[in-house]
Coordinates of all heavy atoms in Angstrom, one line a residue:
M850 N 11.8 -91.0 60.5 CA 12.5 -90.5 59.3 C 12.5 -89.0 59.1 O 11.4 -88.5 59.2 CB 11.9 -91.3 58.0 CG 12.7 -91.1 56.8 SD 14.3 -91.9 56.7 CE 13.6 -93.6 56.5
M851 N 13.7 -88.5 59.0 CA 13.7 -87.0 58.8 C 13.4 -86.6 57.3 O 13.6 -87.4 56.4 CB 15.1 -86.5 59.1 CG 15.4 -86.6 60.6 SD 17.1 -86.1 61.1 CE 18.0 -87.5 60.5
K852 N 12.9 -85.4 57.2 CA 12.4 -84.9 55.8 C 13.1 -83.6 55.7 O 13.1 -82.7 56.5 CB 11.0 -84.8 55.7 CG 10.3 -86.2 55.7 CD 10.7 -87.1 54.6 CE 10.0 -88.4 54.6 NZ 10.6 -89.4 53.7
Y853 N 13.6 -83.4 54.4 CA 14.2 -82.2 53.9 C 13.4 -81.7 52.6 O 13.0 -82.7 51.9 CB 15.6 -82.3 53.7 CG 16.4 -82.7 55.0 CD1 16.5 -84.0 55.4 CD2 17.1 -81.7 55.7 CE1 17.2 -84.3 56.5 CE2 17.8 -82.1 56.8 CZ 17.9 -83.3 57.2 OH 18.5 -83.8 58.3
T854 N 13.3 -80.4 52.4 CA 12.6 -80.1 51.1 C 13.4 -78.8 50.5 O 14.1 -78.1 51.2 CB 11.2 -79.8 51.4 OG1 10.5 -79.5 50.1 CG2 11.0 -78.5 52.2
I855 N 13.3 -78.7 49.2 CA 13.9 -77.7 48.5 C 13.1 -77.4 47.2 O 12.3 -78.3 46.7 CB 15.3 -78.0 48.1 CG1 16.2 -76.8 47.7 CG2 15.4 -79.1 47.1 CD1 17.6 -77.1 47.6
V856 N 13.1 -76.2 46.7 CA 12.3 -75.8 45.5 C 13.3 -75.6 44.4 O 14.3 -74.9 44.5 CB 11.6 -74.5 45.7 CG1 10.8 -74.1 44.3 CG2 10.4 -74.8 46.7
D857 N 13.1 -76.2 43.2 CA 13.8 -76.0 42.0 C 13.3 -74.7 41.4 O 12.2 -74.7 40.8 CB 13.7 -77.1 41.0 CG 14.6 -76.9 39.8 OD1 15.1 -75.8 39.5 OD2 14.8 -77.9 39.0
K858 N 14.0 -73.6 41.6 CA 13.5 -72.3 41.1 C 13.5 -72.1 39.6 O 12.9 -71.3 39.1 CB 14.4 -71.2 41.8 CG 14.1 -71.0 43.3 CD 14.8 -69.8 43.8 CE 14.5 -69.5 45.3 NZ 14.9 -68.2 45.7
E859 N 14.3 -73.1 38.9 CA 14.3 -73.0 37.4 C 13.1 -73.5 36.9 O 12.7 -73.0 35.7 CB 15.5 -73.9 37.0 CG 16.9 -73.4 37.4 CD 17.3 -72.1 36.8 OE1 16.9 -71.9 35.6 OE2 17.8 -71.1 37.4
T860 N 12.4 -74.4 37.6 CA 11.2 -74.9 37.0 C 9.9 -74.4 37.6 O 8.8 -74.6 37.1 CB 11.2 -76.5 37.0 OG1 11.3 -76.8 38.5 CG2 12.3 -77.0 36.3
C861 N 10.1 -73.7 38.8 CA 8.9 -73.2 39.5 C 8.2 -72.1 38.6 O 8.9 -71.3 38.1 CB 9.4 -72.6 40.8 SG 8.1 -71.5 41.6
I862 N 6.9 -72.2 38.5 CA 6.2 -71.3 37.7 C 5.5 -70.2 38.5 O 4.7 -69.4 38.0 CB 5.1 -71.9 36.8 CG1 4.1 -72.8 37.6 CG2 5.9 -72.9 35.7 CD1 3.0 -73.3 36.8
G863 N 5.7 -70.2 39.8 CA 5.3 -69.1 40.6 C 3.7 -69.1 40.8 O 3.2 -68.0 41.1
C864 N 3.2 -70.3 40.9 CA 1.7 -70.3 40.9 C 1.1 -70.0 42.4 O 0.0 -69.7 42.6 CB 1.1 -71.7 40.5 SG 1.6 -73.0 41.6
G865 N 2.1 -70.2 43.3 CA 1.6 -69.9 44.8 C 0.9 -71.0 45.4 O 0.5 -70.8 46.6
A866 N 0.7 -72.2 44.7 CA -0.1 -73.2 45.4 C 0.6 -73.7 46.7 O 0.0 -74.1 47.7 CB -0.3 -74.4 44.4
C867 N 1.9 -73.9 46.6 CA 2.6 -74.4 47.8 C 2.5 -73.5 49.0 O 2.3 -73.9 50.1 CB 4.1 -74.7 47.5 SG 5.0 -73.2 46.8
S868 N 2.6 -72.2 48.8 CA 2.6 -71.3 50.0 C 1.1 -71.2 50.5 O 0.9 -70.8 51.6 CB 3.2 -69.9 49.7 OG 2.7 -69.5 48.5
D869 N 0.2 -71.5 49.6 CA -1.2 -71.6 50.1 C -1.5 -72.7 51.1 O -2.1 -72.5 52.1 CB -2.2 -71.7 48.9 CG -2.5 -70.3 48.1 OD1 -1.9 -69.3 48.7 OD2 -2.9 -70.3 47.1
V870 N -0.9 -73.9 50.7 CA -1.3 -75.0 51.5 C -0.2 -75.3 52.6 O -0.5 -75.9 53.6 CB -1.4 -76.3 50.7 CG1 -2.5 -76.2 49.7 CG2 -0.1 -76.7 49.9
A871 N 1.0 -74.7 52.4 CA 2.0 -75.0 53.5 C 2.8 -73.6 53.7 O 4.0 -73.5 53.4 CB 3.0 -76.0 53.0
P872 N 2.2 -72.6 54.2 CA 2.6 -71.4 54.4 C 3.8 -71.2 55.5 O 4.6 -70.3 55.5 CB 1.5 -70.5 54.9 CG 0.5 -71.4 55.5 CD 0.7 -72.7 54.7
E873 N 3.9 -72.3 56.3 CA 5.0 -72.3 57.2 C 6.3 -72.9 56.6 O 7.4 -72.8 57.2 CB 4.6 -73.1 58.4 CG 3.5 -72.4 59.3 CD 3.1 -73.3 60.4 OE1 3.8 -73.3 61.4 OE2 2.0 -73.9 60.2
I874 N 6.1 -73.5 55.4 CA 7.3 -74.1 54.7 C 7.7 -73.3 53.5 O 9.0 -73.1 53.3 CB 6.9 -75.5 54.3 CG1 6.5 -76.4 55.5 CG2 8.2 -76.2 53.6 CD1 6.0 -77.8 55.1
F875 N 6.8 -72.8 52.8 CA 7.1 -72.1 51.5 C 6.6 -70.7 51.4 O 5.6 -70.3 51.9 CB 6.4 -72.9 50.3 CG 7.0 -74.4 50.2 CD1 6.0 -75.3 50.6 CD2 8.1 -74.7 49.7 CE1 6.4 -76.7 50.6 CE2 8.5 -76.0 49.7 CZ 7.7 -77.1 50.1
S876 N 7.4 -69.9 50.7 CA 7.1 -68.5 50.5 C 7.5 -68.2 49.0 O 8.2 -68.9 48.5 CB 7.6 -67.7 51.5 OG 7.2 -66.3 51.3
Q877 N 7.0 -67.0 48.6 CA 7.6 -66.6 47.2 C 8.4 -65.4 47.3 O 8.1 -64.5 48.1 CB 6.2 -66.4 46.3 CG 5.5 -67.7 46.0 CD 4.3 -67.5 45.2 OE1 3.3 -67.2 45.8 NE2 4.4 -67.6 44.0
D878 N 9.3 -65.3 46.4 CA 10.2 -64.2 46.4 C 9.6 -63.1 45.5 O 8.5 -63.2 44.9 CB 11.6 -64.6 46.0 CG 11.6 -65.1 44.6 OD1 10.8 -64.8 43.8 OD2 12.6 -65.9 44.2
A879 N 10.4 -62.0 45.3 CA 9.9 -60.8 44.6 C 9.6 -61.2 43.1 O 8.6 -60.5 42.5 CB 10.9 -59.8 44.6
K880 N 10.2 -62.2 42.5 CA 10.0 -62.5 41.2 C 8.8 -63.6 41.1 O 8.4 -64.0 40.0 CB 11.2 -63.3 40.6 CG 12.4 -62.3 40.4 CD 13.6 -63.1 39.9 CE 14.8 -62.3 39.8 NZ 16.0 -63.1 39.3
G881 N 8.3 -63.9 42.2 CA 7.2 -64.9 42.3 C 7.6 -66.3 42.4 O 6.7 -67.2 42.6
N882 N 8.9 -66.6 42.3 CA 9.3 -68.0 42.5 C 9.2 -68.4 44.0 O 9.5 -67.5 44.8 CB 10.6 -68.3 41.9 CG 10.7 -68.2 40.5 OD1 9.7 -68.3 39.9 ND2 11.9 -68.1 39.9
S883 N 9.0 -69.6 44.2 CA 8.9 -70.1 45.6 C 10.2 -70.6 46.1 O 11.1 -70.9 45.4 CB 7.8 -71.3 45.5 OG 7.6 -71.7 47.0
H884 N 10.4 -70.6 47.4 CA 11.5 -71.1 48.1 C 11.1 -71.5 49.6 O 10.0 -71.3 50.0 CB 12.6 -69.9 48.3 CG 12.1 -68.8 49.1 ND1 11.4 -67.8 48.5 CD2 12.2 -68.4 50.4 CE1 11.0 -66.8 49.4 NE2 11.5 -67.2 50.6
T885 N 11.9 -72.3 50.1 CA 11.7 -72.8 51.5 C 12.1 -71.7 52.5 O 13.1 -71.1 52.5 CB 12.4 -74.1 51.8 OG1 13.8 -73.8 51.8 CG2 12.1 -75.2 50.8
L886 N 11.1 -71.5 53.4 CA 11.4 -70.6 54.5 C 12.2 -71.1 55.6 O 13.0 -70.4 56.3 CB 10.0 -70.3 55.2 CG 9.0 -69.4 54.4 CD1 7.7 -69.4 55.1 CD2 9.6 -68.0 54.4
L887 N 12.3 -72.4 55.7 CA 13.1 -73.1 56.8 C 14.6 -72.8 56.8 O 15.2 -72.7 57.7 CB 12.9 -74.6 56.7 CG 11.4 -75.1 56.9 CD1 11.3 -76.6 56.4 CD2 10.8 -74.9 58.2
D888 N 15.1 -72.7 55.6 CA 16.5 -72.6 55.3 C 16.9 -71.8 54.1 O 17.9 -72.1 53.5 CB 17.2 -74.0 55.3 CG 16.4 -74.9 54.3 OD1 15.8 -74.3 53.4 OD2 16.5 -76.1 54.4
N889 N 16.0 -70.9 53.7 CA 16.3 -70.1 52.5 C 16.6 -70.9 51.3 O 17.5 -70.6 50.6 CB 17.4 -69.0 52.8 CG 17.3 -67.9 51.9 OD1 16.3 -67.6 51.2 ND2 18.5 -67.3 51.6
N890 N 15.9 -72.0 51.2 CA 16.0 -72.9 50.0 C 17.3 -73.6 49.9 O 17.8 -73.9 48.8 CB 15.7 -72.1 48.7 CG 15.0 -73.1 47.7 OD1 14.0 -73.7 48.1 ND2 15.5 -73.2 46.5
E891 N 18.0 -73.8 51.1 CA 19.2 -74.7 51.0 C 18.9 -76.1 51.1 O 19.8 -77.0 50.7 CB 20.1 -74.3 52.2 CG 20.6 -72.8 52.0 CD 21.6 -72.6 50.9 OE1 22.3 -73.5 50.6 OE2 21.5 -71.5 50.3
G892 N 17.7 -76.5 51.6 CA 17.4 -77.9 51.8 C 18.2 -78.5 52.9 O 18.4 -79.8 52.9
T893 N 18.6 -77.8 53.9 CA 19.4 -78.4 54.9 C 18.8 -78.4 56.3 O 19.3 -79.0 57.2 CB 20.7 -77.5 55.0 OG1 20.3 -76.2 55.3 CG2 21.6 -77.6 53.9
A894 N 17.5 -77.8 56.5 CA 16.9 -77.8 57.7 C 15.8 -79.0 57.8 O 15.1 -79.2 56.7 CB 16.1 -76.5 58.0
Q895 N 15.7 -79.8 58.8 CA 14.7 -80.8 58.9 C 13.3 -80.1 59.0 O 13.1 -79.1 59.6 CB 14.9 -81.6 60.3 CG 16.1 -82.4 60.3 CD 16.2 -83.1 61.7 OE1 15.2 -83.4 62.3 NE2 17.4 -83.2 62.1
V896 N 12.4 -80.7 58.2 CA 11.0 -80.2 58.2 C 10.4 -80.7 59.6 O 10.5 -81.9 59.7 CB 10.2 -80.7 57.1 CG1 8.8 -80.2 57.1 CG2 10.9 -80.2 55.7
P897 N 9.8 -79.8 60.4 CA 9.1 -80.3 61.5 C 8.1 -81.3 61.3 O 7.3 -81.2 60.3 CB 8.6 -79.1 62.2 CG 9.3 -77.9 61.6 CD 9.7 -78.3 60.2
E898 N 8.0 -82.4 62.0 CA 7.1 -83.4 61.8 C 5.6 -83.1 61.7 O 4.9 -83.6 60.9 CB 7.3 -84.6 62.8 CG 6.9 -85.9 62.4 CD 7.2 -87.0 63.3 OE1 8.3 -86.8 64.1 OE2 6.6 -88.1 63.4
E899 N 5.3 -82.1 62.4 CA 3.9 -81.6 62.4 C 3.6 -80.9 61.1 O 2.3 -80.6 60.9 CB 3.6 -80.7 63.7 CG 4.4 -79.4 63.6 CD 5.8 -79.4 64.4 OE1 6.2 -80.5 64.5 OE2 6.2 -78.4 64.8
L900 N 4.5 -80.6 60.3 CA 4.2 -80.0 59.0 C 4.3 -81.0 57.8 O 4.2 -80.6 56.7 CB 5.3 -78.8 58.7 CG 5.2 -77.7 59.7 CD1 6.3 -76.7 59.4 CD2 3.8 -77.0 59.8
Y901 N 4.4 -82.3 58.1 CA 4.6 -83.3 57.0 C 3.3 -83.3 56.1 O 3.4 -83.4 55.0 CB 4.9 -84.6 57.5 CG 6.3 -84.8 58.0 CD1 7.2 -83.9 58.0 CD2 6.6 -86.2 58.4 CE1 8.5 -84.1 58.4 CE2 8.0 -86.4 58.9 CZ 8.9 -85.4 58.9 OH 10.1 -85.7 59.3
D902 N 2.1 -83.2 56.7 CA 0.9 -83.3 55.9 C 0.9 -82.1 54.9 O 0.7 -82.2 53.8 CB -0.3 -83.2 56.8 CG -0.6 -84.5 57.6 OD1 0.1 -85.6 57.1 OD2 -1.5 -84.6 58.4
D903 N 1.2 -80.9 55.5 CA 1.3 -79.7 54.6 C 2.4 -79.9 53.5 O 2.2 -79.5 52.3 CB 1.7 -78.5 55.4 CG 0.6 -78.0 56.3 OD1 -0.6 -78.6 56.2 OD2 0.8 -77.1 57.1
L904 N 3.5 -80.5 53.8 CA 4.6 -80.7 52.9 C 4.1 -81.6 51.8 O 4.3 -81.2 50.6 CB 5.8 -81.3 53.6 CG 7.0 -81.7 52.8 CD1 7.7 -80.6 52.1 CD2 8.0 -82.5 53.6
Y905 N 3.5 -82.6 52.1 CA 3.1 -83.6 51.1 C 1.9 -83.1 50.3 O 1.8 -83.3 49.1 CB 2.8 -84.9 51.6 CG 4.1 -85.7 51.8 CD1 4.7 -85.7 53.1 CD2 4.8 -86.3 50.8 CE1 6.0 -86.3 53.3 CE2 6.0 -87.0 51.0 CZ 6.5 -87.0 52.1 OH 7.8 -87.6 52.3
D906 N 1.1 -82.2 50.8 CA 0.0 -81.6 50.1 C 0.6 -80.6 49.0 O 0.2 -80.6 47.9 CB -0.9 -80.7 51.0 CG -1.9 -81.6 51.8 OD1 -2.1 -82.8 51.5 OD2 -2.5 -81.1 52.7
A907 N 1.7 -79.9 49.5 CA 2.3 -79.0 48.6 C 3.0 -79.8 47.5 O 3.0 -79.4 46.3 CB 3.4 -78.1 49.3
Y908 N 3.7 -80.8 47.8 CA 4.5 -81.7 46.9 C 3.5 -82.2 45.8 O 3.8 -82.1 44.6 CB 5.1 -82.7 47.7 CG 5.9 -83.8 46.8 CD1 7.1 -83.6 46.4 CD2 5.2 -85.0 46.6 CE1 7.8 -84.5 45.6 CE2 5.9 -86.0 45.9 CZ 7.1 -85.8 45.4 OH 7.8 -86.8 44.6
E909 N 2.4 -82.7 46.2 CA 1.5 -83.4 45.4 C 0.8 -82.4 44.5 O 0.3 -82.6 43.3 CB 0.5 -84.2 46.1 CG 1.2 -85.4 46.7 CD 0.3 -86.3 47.6 OE1 -0.9 -85.9 47.8 OE2 0.8 -87.1 48.3
G910 N 0.6 -81.1 45.0 CA -0.1 -80.1 44.2 C 0.7 -79.2 43.3 O 0.2 -78.4 42.6
C911 N 2.1 -79.4 43.4 CA 2.9 -78.6 42.6 C 2.8 -79.0 41.1 O 3.1 -80.1 40.8 CB 4.3 -78.7 43.0 SG 5.5 -77.7 42.0
P912 N 2.3 -78.1 40.2 CA 2.1 -78.4 38.8 C 3.3 -78.6 38.0 O 3.2 -79.2 37.0 CB 1.3 -77.2 38.3 CG 1.7 -76.0 39.2 CD 1.9 -76.6 40.5
S913 N 4.5 -78.1 38.5 CA 5.7 -78.3 37.8 C 6.7 -79.3 38.4 O 7.9 -79.2 38.0 CB 6.3 -76.9 37.6 OG 6.7 -76.3 38.8
E914 N 6.2 -80.0 39.4 CA 7.1 -80.9 40.1 C 8.4 -80.3 40.6 O 9.5 -80.9 40.5 CB 7.4 -82.2 39.3 CG 6.1 -82.8 38.9 CD 6.3 -84.2 38.1 OE1 7.5 -84.5 37.8 OE2 5.3 -84.9 37.8
S915 N 8.3 -79.1 41.1 CA 9.5 -78.3 41.5 C 9.8 -78.4 42.8 O 11.0 -78.1 43.4 CB 9.3 -76.7 41.3 OG 9.0 -76.5 40.0
I916 N 9.0 -79.1 43.7 CA 9.2 -79.4 45.1 C 9.9 -80.7 45.2 O 9.4 -81.8 44.8 CB 7.9 -79.2 46.0 CG1 7.4 -77.8 45.9 CG2 8.2 -79.7 47.4 CD1 6.0 -77.7 46.5
K917 N 11.0 -80.7 45.9 CA 11.8 -81.9 46.1 C 11.7 -82.3 47.6 O 11.8 -81.4 48.4 CB 13.2 -81.7 45.6 CG 13.3 -81.2 44.2 CD 12.7 -82.0 43.1 CE 12.8 -81.4 41.8 NZ 12.0 -82.1 40.8
I918 N 11.7 -83.6 47.8 CA 11.7 -84.1 49.2 C 12.7 -85.2 49.3 O 12.7 -86.1 48.4 CB 10.3 -84.6 49.7 CG1 9.3 -83.4 49.6 CG2 10.3 -85.1 51.1 CD1 7.9 -83.9 49.9
A919 N 13.5 -85.2 50.4 CA 14.4 -86.2 50.7 C 14.5 -86.6 52.0 O 14.1 -85.8 52.9 CB 15.8 -85.8 50.1
D920 N 15.1 -87.8 52.4 CA 15.3 -88.2 53.7 C 16.6 -87.6 54.3 O 16.9 -87.7 55.5 CB 15.4 -89.7 53.8 CG 14.0 -90.3 53.4 OD1 13.0 -89.6 53.5 OD2 14.1 -91.6 53.0
D921 N 17.5 -87.1 53.4 CA 18.8 -86.5 53.9 C 18.9 -85.0 53.4 O 18.1 -84.7 52.5 CB 19.9 -87.2 53.2 CG 20.0 -88.8 53.7 OD1 19.9 -88.9 54.9 OD2 20.0 -89.6 52.8
S922 N 19.7 -84.3 54.1 CA 19.9 -82.9 53.6 C 20.4 -82.9 52.2 O 21.0 -83.8 51.7 CB 21.0 -82.4 54.5 OG 21.5 -81.1 54.0
F923 N 19.9 -81.8 51.5 CA 20.3 -81.5 50.2 C 21.7 -80.9 50.0 O 22.1 -80.7 48.9 CB 19.2 -80.7 49.4 CG 18.0 -81.3 49.1 CD1 16.9 -81.2 50.0 CD2 17.8 -82.1 48.0 CE1 15.7 -81.9 49.7 CE2 16.6 -82.6 47.7 CZ 15.6 -82.6 48.5
A924 N 22.3 -80.6 51.1 CA 23.7 -79.9 51.2 C 24.7 -80.8 50.4 O 24.8 -82.0 50.7 CB 24.1 -79.7 52.5
G925 N 25.2 -80.2 49.4 CA 26.3 -80.9 48.6 C 25.8 -82.0 47.7 O 26.5 -82.7 47.1
N926 N 24.5 -82.0 47.5 CA 23.9 -83.0 46.7 C 23.8 -82.6 45.2 O 23.0 -81.7 44.9 CB 22.5 -83.5 47.1 CG 21.8 -84.5 46.3 OD1 22.3 -84.8 45.2 ND2 20.7 -85.0 46.8
P927 N 24.6 -83.1 44.3 CA 24.7 -82.5 43.0 C 23.4 -82.9 42.2 O 23.1 -82.3 41.1 CB 25.9 -83.2 42.3 CG 26.1 -84.4 43.1 CD 25.5 -84.1 44.5
N928 N 22.6 -83.8 42.7 CA 21.5 -84.3 41.9 C 20.2 -83.8 42.6 O 19.0 -84.4 42.3 CB 21.4 -85.8 41.9 CG 22.7 -86.3 41.2 OD1 23.1 -85.9 40.2 ND2 23.3 -87.4 41.7
K929 N 20.2 -82.7 43.4 CA 19.1 -82.4 44.1 C 17.9 -81.9 43.4 O 16.8 -82.0 43.9 CB 19.4 -81.2 45.2 CG 20.0 -80.0 44.5 CD 20.5 -79.1 45.7 CE 21.3 -77.9 45.1 NZ 21.9 -77.2 46.2
F930 N 18.1 -81.5 42.1 CA 17.0 -81.2 41.3 C 16.5 -82.2 40.2 O 15.8 -81.9 39.3 CB 17.2 -79.8 40.7 CG 17.3 -78.7 41.6 CD1 18.4 -77.8 41.7 CD2 16.4 -78.5 42.7 CE1 18.4 -76.8 42.6 CE2 16.5 -77.5 43.7 CZ 17.5 -76.7 43.6
E931 N 17.0 -83.5 40.5 CA 16.6 -84.5 39.4 C 15.5 -85.3 40.1 O 15.2 -85.3 41.3 CB 17.8 -85.4 39.2 CG 18.9 -84.7 38.4 CD 20.0 -85.6 38.0 OE1 20.1 -86.7 38.5 OE2 20.9 -85.0 37.5
Ligands
SF4_1425 S1 3.5 -75.0 43.8 FE1 5.4 -75.5 42.6 S2 5.2 -74.2 40.8 FE2 3.8 -73.3 42.2 S3 4.9 -71.7 43.4 FE3 5.1 -73.7 44.5 S4 7.1 -74.6 43.8 FE4 6.4 -73.1 42.3

């Protein structure tokens, strides 16, 4: 099963927890909000399987539930942040 991820920048509080546990997937911009490194927060790049543990650690540790994970690309998904 493929995995895709994206960050809801509207709800991200910039705590940095995700980039601490998954630095190959997430980083923070100048405003402190997080984004995915894989595809500049488009949610269109498959997360490499070897990073799944880091991905789920970040997902479970996000205090604002801003990290979204799906089995399909987020491209064109109008509900991607629900
Ligand atoms: S853990 Fe969540 S709230 Fe914290 S920086 Fe990452 S996406 Fe934002």
Side-chain angles (χ1 to χ4, degrees):
M850 188 70 75
M851 293 177 282
K852 293 294 175 192
Y853 298 82
T854 187
I855 195 169
V856 173
D857 184 346
K858 292 188 174 192
E859 295 295 317
T860 59
C861 170
I862 60 171
C864 70
C867 55
S868 50
D869 281 349
V870 299
E873 294 175 80
I874 305 174
F875 301 102
S876 185
Q877 290 178 277
D878 62 23
K880 293 181 184 173
N882 287 350
S883 192
H884 61 275
T885 63
L886 287 170
L887 302 167
D888 49 22
N889 199 26
N890 216 50
E891 295 292 325
T893 55
Q895 291 176 34
V896 178
E898 203 168 333
E899 64 269 24
L900 298 180
Y901 283 5
D902 284 349
D903 289 354
L904 174 63
Y905 280 97
D906 281 349
Y908 174 80
E909 289 167 8
C911 177
S913 60
E914 300 183 358
S915 300
I916 296 173
K917 312 300 178 187
I918 299 174
D920 297 336
D921 297 308
S922 170
F923 286 93
N926 181 348
N928 302 316
K929 59 187 170 188
F930 294 131
E931 290 181 357

